[in-house]
Every structure is written in structure tokens, then in C-alpha cells.
């Protein structure tokens, strides 16, 4: 599960957008993800007229040790702090699970067949043939 915060710059001169992402693989629900305060795993800077700059946490591959990224830890710590503060300001721990439940309920009600009183949907009724 991944959570991404995207901030658009109001007056872009060189920087257009900042994207901060955190992810977790063992989370079972959105509420658990928001409550876990997982650290930022990816920072992306979209630049005006230039290629993007991405900084991502690296894991070890094939059982090897991960590369040394201690020089970037202050950037990841700041990004994690921004994510935590933004969640708190928006009260995301409460509103996101509530909104997801509403979306799920609305989509479930749209996919249920209409009741006709016989227990069968209208698609199961025979079509009368014209003579």
C-alpha cells in the first residue's frame, strides 16, 4: 500500500511539483497505514523544462546489504515529518477510512441487481416473442 502527498508550487520558476511517498507491504487497512506513520520512501521533484529528480530508499538486492544512504537521511526525515504533519492537519486518520467506506458502499449499491419481487433479476425474465 502506498500513500503519496503531491504539492504543486504556486509560482513555478524552476520547481513545479513535489511528491512524497511512503509505502508499507504488511498493512491490512487504510486506517492502519495512516496510523503507522511509516517513513517517506520516495521524494520526487518535477522541474519546469527539465527532467525530474527522484530520491528513493534502496533495499538490498538478492540478500545483499543495502547501499549507504546516510547522507540523504535528513531529507527523508524532513519528508516524513511533512507527511505526518499533513495527516494531522487534515485529520486523515479519521476522514480517509470514513470516505473509503462511503465509496465502497456506493459502489456496492450500484452493482446490486434491482429486486423484482421474484428473487430473479430482470435479465432472467423470458422475452416475449412477437408473432
Amino acid at each position: 500500500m502506498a500513500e503519496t502527498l503531491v504539492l504543486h508550487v504556486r509560482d513555478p520558476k524552476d520547481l513545479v511539483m513535489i511528491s512524497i511517498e511512503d509505502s508499507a507491504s504488511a498493512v491490512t487497512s487504510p486506517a492502519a497505514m495512516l496510523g503507522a506513520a511509516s517513513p517517506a520512501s520516495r521524494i520526487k521533484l518535477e522541474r519546469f523544462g527539465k527532467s525530474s529528480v527522484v530520491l528513493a530508499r534502496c533495499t538490498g538486492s538478492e540478500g545483499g546489504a543495502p547501499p549507504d544512504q546516510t547522507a540523504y537521511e535528513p531529507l527523508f526525515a524532513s519528508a516524513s515529518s511533512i507527511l505526518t504533519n499533513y495527516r494531522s492537519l487534515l485529520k486523515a486518520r479519521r476522514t480517509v477510512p470514513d470516505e473509503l467506506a462511503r465509496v465502497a458502499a456506493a459502489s456496492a449499491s450500484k452493482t446490486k441487481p434491482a429486486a423484482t419481487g421474484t428473487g430473479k433479476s430482470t435479465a432472467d425474465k423470458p422475452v416475449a416473442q412477437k408473432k
Side-chain angles (χ1 to χ4, degrees), residues 31-99:
M33 176 74 174
L34 293 169
S38 54
S41 59
R42 188 171 184 264
I43 304 166
K44 181 178 181 181
L45 304 174
E46 292 281 340
R47 302 183 302 168
F48 188 74
K50 299 178 184 175
S51 60
S52 300
V53 177
V54 178
L55 178 62
R57 289 189 191 266
C58 297
T59 58
S61 61
E62 298 180 14
D68 182 21
Q69 290 187 309
T70 55
Y72 304 115
E73 192 53 40
L75 293 172
F76 284 119
S78 294
S80 298
S81 174
I82 290 169
L83 275 172
T84 301
N85 290 338
Y86 200 75
R87 279 187 207 125
S88 296
L89 290 171
L90 288 178
K91 298 178 177 68
R93 287 182 178 93
R94 188 186 75 231
T95 56
V96 171
D98 291 347
E99 290 298 316

Coordinates of all heavy atoms in Angstrom, one line a residue, residues 31-99:
A31 N -6.7 2.6 7.5 CA -6.6 3.1 8.9 C -5.3 2.7 9.5 O -4.6 3.5 10.2 CB -7.7 2.7 9.7
A32 N -4.9 1.5 9.3 CA -3.6 1.0 9.9 C -2.4 1.7 9.2 O -1.4 2.0 9.8 CB -3.5 -0.5 9.7
M33 N -2.5 1.9 7.9 CA -1.5 2.6 7.2 C -1.3 4.1 7.7 O -0.2 4.5 7.9 CB -1.8 2.7 5.7 CG -0.8 3.5 4.8 SD 0.7 2.6 4.6 CE 1.5 3.6 3.4
L34 N -2.4 4.8 7.9 CA -2.3 6.1 8.4 C -1.9 6.2 9.8 O -1.3 7.2 10.2 CB -3.7 6.8 8.2 CG -4.2 7.0 6.8 CD1 -5.6 7.4 6.8 CD2 -3.3 8.0 6.1
G35 N -2.1 5.2 10.6 CA -1.7 5.2 12.0 C -0.3 4.7 12.2 O 0.3 4.9 13.3
A36 N 0.3 4.1 11.2 CA 1.6 3.6 11.3 C 2.7 4.6 11.3 O 3.8 4.4 11.8 CB 1.9 2.5 10.2
A37 N 2.5 5.8 10.6 CA 3.5 6.8 10.5 C 4.8 6.3 9.9 O 5.9 6.5 10.3 CB 3.8 7.5 11.8
S38 N 4.6 5.5 8.8 CA 5.7 5.0 8.1 C 6.6 6.1 7.5 O 6.1 7.1 7.0 CB 5.3 4.0 7.0 OG 4.4 4.6 6.1
P39 N 7.9 5.9 7.4 CA 8.8 6.9 6.9 C 8.7 7.1 5.4 O 8.3 6.1 4.7 CB 10.2 6.4 7.3 CG 10.0 5.0 7.4 CD 8.6 4.7 7.9
A40 N 9.0 8.2 4.9 CA 9.0 8.5 3.5 C 9.9 7.6 2.8 O 11.1 7.4 3.2 CB 9.3 10.0 3.2
S41 N 9.5 7.0 1.6 CA 10.4 6.1 0.9 C 10.8 6.7 -0.5 O 11.7 6.2 -1.1 CB 9.7 4.8 0.7 OG 8.5 5.0 0.0
R42 N 10.2 7.8 -0.9 CA 10.5 8.3 -2.2 C 10.1 9.8 -2.2 O 9.1 10.2 -1.8 CB 9.6 7.6 -3.2 CG 9.9 7.9 -4.7 CD 9.1 6.9 -5.6 NE 9.5 7.1 -6.9 CZ 8.8 7.8 -7.8 NH1 7.7 8.4 -7.4 NH2 9.2 7.9 -9.0
I43 N 11.0 10.6 -2.8 CA 10.8 12.1 -2.9 C 11.1 12.4 -4.4 O 12.1 12.0 -4.9 CB 11.8 12.9 -2.0 CG1 11.6 12.4 -0.6 CG2 11.6 14.4 -2.2 CD1 12.8 12.9 0.3
K44 N 10.1 13.1 -5.0 CA 10.3 13.4 -6.4 C 10.1 14.9 -6.6 O 9.1 15.4 -6.1 CB 9.3 12.6 -7.3 CG 9.3 12.8 -8.7 CD 8.3 12.0 -9.5 CE 8.4 12.2 -11.0 NZ 7.4 11.4 -11.7
L45 N 10.9 15.5 -7.4 CA 10.8 16.9 -7.7 C 10.6 17.0 -9.2 O 11.4 16.6 -10.0 CB 12.1 17.7 -7.3 CG 12.6 17.6 -5.9 CD1 13.9 18.2 -5.7 CD2 11.5 18.1 -5.0
E46 N 9.5 17.6 -9.6 CA 9.2 17.9 -11.0 C 9.7 19.3 -11.3 O 9.3 20.2 -10.6 CB 7.7 17.8 -11.3 CG 7.1 16.4 -11.2 CD 7.4 15.6 -12.4 OE1 7.7 16.1 -13.5 OE2 7.3 14.3 -12.3
R47 N 10.6 19.4 -12.3 CA 11.1 20.7 -12.6 C 10.6 21.2 -13.9 O 10.3 20.5 -14.8 CB 12.7 20.6 -12.6 CG 13.2 20.1 -11.3 CD 14.7 20.0 -11.2 NE 15.3 19.2 -12.3 CZ 16.5 19.1 -12.6 NH1 17.4 19.9 -11.9 NH2 17.0 18.3 -13.5
F48 N 10.5 22.5 -14.0 CA 10.0 23.2 -15.2 C 11.0 23.1 -16.3 O 12.1 23.7 -16.2 CB 9.7 24.6 -14.9 CG 8.9 25.4 -16.0 CD1 7.6 25.1 -16.2 CD2 9.6 26.3 -16.8 CE1 6.9 25.7 -17.2 CE2 8.9 26.9 -17.8 CZ 7.6 26.7 -18.0
G49 N 10.7 22.4 -17.4 CA 11.5 22.3 -18.6 C 12.7 21.5 -18.4 O 13.6 21.5 -19.2
K50 N 12.8 20.7 -17.3 CA 13.9 19.8 -17.1 C 13.4 18.5 -16.6 O 12.3 18.3 -16.4 CB 14.8 20.4 -16.0 CG 15.4 21.8 -16.3 CD 16.2 22.3 -15.1 CE 16.7 23.7 -15.4 NZ 17.4 24.2 -14.2
S51 N 14.3 17.5 -16.6 CA 13.9 16.2 -16.1 C 13.7 16.2 -14.6 O 14.2 17.0 -13.9 CB 15.0 15.1 -16.5 OG 16.2 15.5 -15.9
S52 N 12.9 15.2 -14.2 CA 12.6 15.1 -12.8 C 13.8 14.6 -12.0 O 14.7 13.9 -12.5 CB 11.4 14.1 -12.6 OG 10.3 14.5 -13.2
V53 N 13.8 14.9 -10.7 CA 14.8 14.4 -9.8 C 14.1 13.5 -8.7 O 13.1 13.9 -8.1 CB 15.5 15.5 -9.1 CG1 16.5 15.0 -8.1 CG2 16.2 16.4 -10.1
V54 N 14.5 12.3 -8.6 CA 13.9 11.3 -7.7 C 15.0 10.8 -6.7 O 16.1 10.4 -7.1 CB 13.3 10.2 -8.4 CG1 12.6 9.2 -7.5 CG2 12.2 10.7 -9.4
L55 N 14.6 10.8 -5.4 CA 15.4 10.2 -4.4 C 14.6 9.1 -3.7 O 13.5 9.4 -3.3 CB 15.8 11.2 -3.4 CG 16.7 10.7 -2.2 CD1 18.0 10.1 -2.7 CD2 16.9 11.9 -1.2
A56 N 15.0 7.8 -3.8 CA 14.3 6.7 -3.2 C 15.2 5.9 -2.3 O 16.4 5.8 -2.5 CB 13.7 5.8 -4.3
R57 N 14.5 5.4 -1.2 CA 15.3 4.5 -0.3 C 15.5 3.2 -1.1 O 14.7 2.7 -1.8 CB 14.4 4.2 0.9 CG 14.3 5.4 1.8 CD 13.7 4.9 3.1 NE 13.3 6.0 4.0 CZ 14.1 6.5 4.9 NH1 15.3 6.0 5.2 NH2 13.7 7.5 5.7
C58 N 16.7 2.7 -1.0 CA 17.1 1.5 -1.6 C 17.2 0.3 -0.6 O 17.6 0.5 0.5 CB 18.5 1.6 -2.3 SG 18.5 2.9 -3.6
T59 N 16.8 -0.8 -1.1 CA 16.9 -2.0 -0.3 C 17.9 -2.9 -0.9 O 18.3 -2.8 -2.0 CB 15.6 -2.8 -0.2 OG1 15.2 -3.1 -1.5 CG2 14.5 -1.9 0.4
G60 N 18.5 -3.8 -0.1 CA 19.5 -4.7 -0.6 C 18.8 -5.7 -1.6 O 17.7 -6.1 -1.4
S61 N 19.6 -6.0 -2.6 CA 19.0 -7.0 -3.6 C 19.7 -8.3 -3.4 O 20.9 -8.4 -3.1 CB 19.2 -6.4 -5.0 OG 20.6 -6.3 -5.3
E62 N 18.9 -9.4 -3.6 CA 19.4 -10.7 -3.5 C 20.2 -11.0 -2.3 O 21.2 -11.6 -2.3 CB 20.2 -11.1 -4.8 CG 19.4 -10.9 -6.1 CD 20.3 -11.3 -7.3 OE1 21.4 -11.8 -7.1 OE2 19.8 -11.0 -8.4
G63 N 19.7 -10.6 -1.1 CA 20.3 -10.9 0.1 C 21.5 -10.0 0.5 O 22.1 -10.1 1.5
G64 N 21.8 -9.1 -0.4 CA 23.0 -8.2 -0.2 C 22.6 -7.1 0.7 O 21.4 -6.8 1.0
A65 N 23.6 -6.4 1.2 CA 23.4 -5.2 2.1 C 22.9 -4.0 1.3 O 23.3 -3.9 0.2 CB 24.6 -4.9 2.8
P66 N 22.0 -3.2 1.9 CA 21.5 -2.0 1.1 C 22.6 -1.0 1.0 O 23.6 -1.0 1.8 CB 20.4 -1.5 2.0 CG 20.6 -2.1 3.3 CD 21.3 -3.4 3.2
P67 N 22.6 -0.2 0.0 CA 23.6 0.8 -0.2 C 23.6 1.9 1.0 O 22.5 2.1 1.6 CB 23.3 1.5 -1.5 CG 21.9 1.1 -1.8 CD 21.6 -0.1 -1.1
D68 N 24.7 2.5 1.2 CA 24.7 3.5 2.3 C 24.0 4.8 1.8 O 24.5 5.5 0.9 CB 26.2 3.8 2.6 CG 26.3 4.8 3.8 OD1 25.4 5.0 4.5 OD2 27.4 5.4 3.9
Q69 N 22.9 5.1 2.5 CA 22.2 6.4 2.1 C 22.1 7.3 3.3 O 21.2 8.1 3.4 CB 20.8 6.0 1.6 CG 20.7 5.4 0.3 CD 19.3 5.2 -0.2 OE1 18.5 4.7 0.5 NE2 19.1 5.6 -1.4
T70 N 23.1 7.2 4.2 CA 23.0 8.1 5.4 C 23.1 9.6 5.1 O 22.6 10.4 5.8 CB 24.1 7.7 6.4 OG1 25.4 7.8 5.7 CG2 23.9 6.3 7.0
A71 N 23.7 9.9 4.0 CA 23.8 11.3 3.6 C 22.4 11.9 3.3 O 22.2 13.1 3.4 CB 24.7 11.5 2.4
Y72 N 21.5 11.1 2.9 CA 20.2 11.5 2.5 C 19.1 11.4 3.6 O 18.0 11.8 3.4 CB 19.7 10.7 1.3 CG 20.6 10.8 0.1 CD1 21.2 9.6 -0.4 CD2 20.8 12.0 -0.6 CE1 22.1 9.7 -1.4 CE2 21.7 12.0 -1.6 CZ 22.3 10.9 -2.1 OH 23.2 10.9 -3.1
E73 N 19.5 10.9 4.7 CA 18.6 10.6 5.8 C 17.9 11.9 6.3 O 16.7 11.9 6.6 CB 19.3 9.9 7.0 CG 18.3 9.4 8.0 CD 17.2 8.6 7.5 OE1 17.5 7.7 6.6 OE2 16.1 8.7 7.9
P74 N 18.6 13.1 6.4 CA 17.9 14.3 6.8 C 16.8 14.7 5.8 O 15.7 15.2 6.2 CB 19.0 15.4 6.8 CG 20.3 14.6 7.0 CD 20.1 13.3 6.3
L75 N 17.0 14.4 4.5 CA 15.9 14.7 3.6 C 14.7 13.8 3.8 O 13.6 14.2 3.7 CB 16.4 14.6 2.1 CG 17.5 15.6 1.7 CD1 18.1 15.2 0.3 CD2 16.9 17.0 1.6
F76 N 15.0 12.5 4.0 CA 13.9 11.5 4.3 C 13.2 11.9 5.6 O 12.0 11.7 5.7 CB 14.4 10.1 4.3 CG 14.7 9.5 2.9 CD1 16.0 9.1 2.6 CD2 13.7 9.4 2.0 CE1 16.2 8.6 1.3 CE2 13.9 8.9 0.7 CZ 15.2 8.5 0.4
A77 N 13.9 12.3 6.6 CA 13.3 12.7 7.9 C 12.4 13.9 7.7 O 11.3 13.9 8.3 CB 14.4 12.9 8.9
S78 N 12.9 14.9 7.0 CA 12.0 16.1 6.7 C 10.8 15.7 6.0 O 9.7 16.2 6.3 CB 12.8 17.1 5.9 OG 13.9 17.6 6.7
A79 N 10.9 14.9 4.9 CA 9.8 14.4 4.2 C 8.8 13.6 5.0 O 7.6 13.8 4.9 CB 10.2 13.6 3.0
S80 N 9.3 12.8 5.9 CA 8.4 12.0 6.8 C 7.7 12.9 7.8 O 6.5 12.8 8.1 CB 9.3 11.0 7.6 OG 9.9 10.1 6.7
S81 N 8.4 14.0 8.2 CA 7.8 15.0 9.1 C 6.6 15.7 8.4 O 5.6 16.0 9.0 CB 8.8 15.9 9.6 OG 8.2 16.9 10.4
I82 N 6.9 16.1 7.2 CA 5.8 16.8 6.4 C 4.6 15.9 6.2 O 3.5 16.3 6.4 CB 6.4 17.2 5.0 CG1 7.4 18.3 5.2 CG2 5.3 17.6 4.0 CD1 8.2 18.6 3.9
L83 N 4.8 14.6 5.9 CA 3.7 13.7 5.8 C 2.9 13.6 7.1 O 1.7 13.6 7.1 CB 4.2 12.3 5.3 CG 4.4 12.0 3.9 CD1 5.1 10.7 3.7 CD2 3.1 12.1 3.1
T84 N 3.6 13.4 8.2 CA 2.9 13.3 9.5 C 2.1 14.5 9.8 O 1.0 14.5 10.3 CB 4.0 13.0 10.6 OG1 4.7 11.8 10.2 CG2 3.3 12.9 11.9
N85 N 2.7 15.7 9.6 CA 2.0 17.0 9.9 C 0.8 17.2 9.0 O -0.2 17.6 9.4 CB 3.0 18.2 9.7 CG 4.0 18.2 10.8 OD1 3.9 17.6 11.9 ND2 5.1 18.8 10.6
Y86 N 0.9 16.8 7.7 CA -0.2 16.9 6.8 C -1.3 16.0 7.2 O -2.5 16.4 7.1 CB 0.3 16.6 5.4 CG -0.6 17.2 4.3 CD1 -0.5 18.6 4.0 CD2 -1.4 16.4 3.6 CE1 -1.4 19.1 3.0 CE2 -2.2 16.9 2.6 CZ -2.2 18.3 2.3 OH -3.0 18.8 1.4
R87 N -1.0 14.8 7.6 CA -2.0 13.9 8.0 C -2.8 14.4 9.3 O -4.0 14.3 9.4 CB -1.4 12.5 8.5 CG -1.1 11.6 7.4 CD -0.7 10.3 8.0 NE 0.2 9.6 7.1 CZ 1.4 9.1 7.3 NH1 1.9 9.3 8.5 NH2 2.1 8.5 6.4
S88 N -2.0 15.0 10.2 CA -2.6 15.6 11.4 C -3.5 16.8 11.0 O -4.6 16.9 11.6 CB -1.5 16.0 12.4 OG -0.8 14.9 12.8
L89 N -3.1 17.7 10.2 CA -3.8 18.8 9.8 C -5.1 18.5 9.1 O -6.2 19.1 9.4 CB -3.0 19.8 9.0 CG -1.9 20.5 9.7 CD1 -1.0 21.2 8.7 CD2 -2.4 21.5 10.7
L90 N -5.1 17.5 8.3 CA -6.3 17.1 7.6 C -7.2 16.1 8.3 O -8.2 15.7 7.9 CB -5.9 16.4 6.2 CG -5.4 17.3 5.2 CD1 -5.0 16.5 3.9 CD2 -6.4 18.4 4.8
K91 N -6.7 15.7 9.5 CA -7.4 14.6 10.3 C -7.6 13.4 9.5 O -8.7 12.8 9.5 CB -8.7 15.2 10.9 CG -8.4 16.3 11.8 CD -9.8 16.8 12.3 CE -9.6 17.9 13.3 NZ -9.1 19.2 12.9
A92 N -6.6 13.0 8.7 CA -6.6 11.9 7.7 C -6.9 10.6 8.4 O -7.5 9.7 7.8 CB -5.4 11.8 6.9
R93 N -6.4 10.4 9.6 CA -6.6 9.1 10.3 C -8.1 8.8 10.5 O -8.5 7.6 10.6 CB -5.9 9.1 11.6 CG -4.4 9.0 11.5 CD -3.7 8.9 12.8 NE -2.3 8.8 12.6 CZ -1.4 9.8 12.6 NH1 -1.9 11.0 12.7 NH2 -0.1 9.6 12.4
R94 N -8.9 9.8 10.5 CA -10.4 9.6 10.7 C -11.1 9.8 9.4 O -12.0 9.0 9.1 CB -10.9 10.7 11.7 CG -12.4 10.4 12.1 CD -13.0 11.5 13.0 NE -13.2 12.7 12.1 CZ -12.8 13.9 12.4 NH1 -12.2 14.1 13.5 NH2 -13.1 14.9 11.6
T95 N -10.8 10.8 8.6 CA -11.6 11.1 7.4 C -11.3 10.1 6.2 O -12.3 9.7 5.5 CB -11.3 12.5 6.9 OG1 -9.9 12.7 6.6 CG2 -11.8 13.5 7.9
V96 N -10.1 9.6 6.0 CA -9.8 8.7 4.9 C -10.5 7.4 5.0 O -11.2 7.0 4.1 CB -8.3 8.5 4.7 CG1 -8.0 7.5 3.7 CG2 -7.7 9.9 4.3
P97 N -10.5 6.7 6.2 CA -11.2 5.4 6.3 C -12.7 5.7 6.1 O -13.4 4.8 5.5 CB -10.9 4.9 7.7 CG -9.6 5.5 8.0 CD -9.6 6.9 7.3
D98 N -13.3 6.8 6.7 CA -14.7 7.1 6.5 C -15.1 7.3 5.1 O -16.1 6.7 4.6 CB -15.1 8.3 7.3 CG -15.0 8.1 8.8 OD1 -14.9 6.9 9.2 OD2 -15.1 9.1 9.6
E99 N -14.3 8.0 4.3 CA -14.5 8.3 2.9 C -14.4 7.0 2.1 O -15.2 6.7 1.2 CB -13.6 9.3 2.3 CG -13.9 10.7 2.9 CD -15.3 11.2 2.5 OE1 -15.7 11.0 1.3 OE2 -16.0 11.8 3.4

